[in-house]
Amino acid sequence: MKHAIIPVLSIALFVLGACGGPTKKDYSKEVDEGTFDGNKFTSQALGWTMEFPDNWIITTKSSLESMDERSKLAAGDSVSDMSGIKRTLAFQKNYDNNFQSTWEEFSGDEAKYKRIISNIHEMIYTNYLDQRTYLDSVAGKLEVSGVTFDTYQVSLFDRDNKNFANQLLLTAIVKNKFMSVTITYNNDADKKKILDLFKNSTFK
């Protein structure tokens, strides 16, 4: 399941790379699976529904795909197959504060899942060290609508020990699918806004 790691690494580069792409009114073109109803997104595959701020913008799929390619180059990876990755809700307030989610089919047991997330966490940590970025990280858990997510919090610091960016990765197996959510933020208010929306989302 090596290809599951690449989208997470692309998130690890998000605060250091370019974010862009114009807002598109037809949001359905920006996801691989799921539907929009106003500022509410539903993934039928996951049974997941979440609202997003109506004054924020949906992140374009083209910008996410561009980040994936840069991630593969940074990791020296030319073989990972990303065809199974399904992009779902992704939105942003600005360059530094955003939300992204994906899923892919998963077959295996709890032990396999734990190995995968351990590898993902290690790769994120190593990726930042390779970029000479100082960081702190901590793992934990968060329950959302009956689904327990494994969390991995990363805080990034400059050479003056100033915290300039943070990322929270959440992963879980939902309906035999590996779901990944990443929240990137640079202030507590936007973190709370995004995280509260996710905590209030539902799984059926």
Side-chain angles (χ1 to χ4, degrees), residues 133-156:
T133 302
Y134 301 99
L135 72 154
D136 285 334
S137 64
V138 61
K141 292 185 181 295
L142 176 69
E143 184 170 330
V144 177
S145 186
V147 176
T148 300
F149 284 83
D150 288 281
T151 66
Y152 187 60
Q153 171 76 47
V154 176
S155 299
L156 307 179

Side-chain angles (χ1 to χ4, degrees), residues 57-122:
I57 63 173
I58 295 297
T59 306
T60 63
K61 189 160 64 171
S62 61
S63 67
L64 297 174
E65 290 171 346
S66 176
M67 284 189 290
D68 284 344
E69 291 305 311
R70 292 199 300 275
S71 300
K72 291 174 70 174
L73 288 174
D77 181 2
S78 60
V79 298
S80 287
D81 177 15
M82 299 190 61
S83 61
I85 300 293
K86 302 297 183 183
R87 301 184 193 280
T88 48
L89 181 61
F91 61 87
Q92 62 192 61
K93 176 183 179 181
N94 52 33
Y95 178 86
D96 297 306
N97 300 278
N98 57 79
F99 174 99
Q100 296 186 40
S101 62
T102 64
W103 65 260
E104 66 175 307
E105 297 291 345
F106 178 82
S107 60
D109 55 14
E110 181 73 10
K112 179 180 179 180
Y113 167 72
K114 289 185 179 297
R115 287 196 302 271
I116 290 171
I117 62 172
S118 177
N119 288 339
I120 290 173
H121 296 176
E122 181 179 356

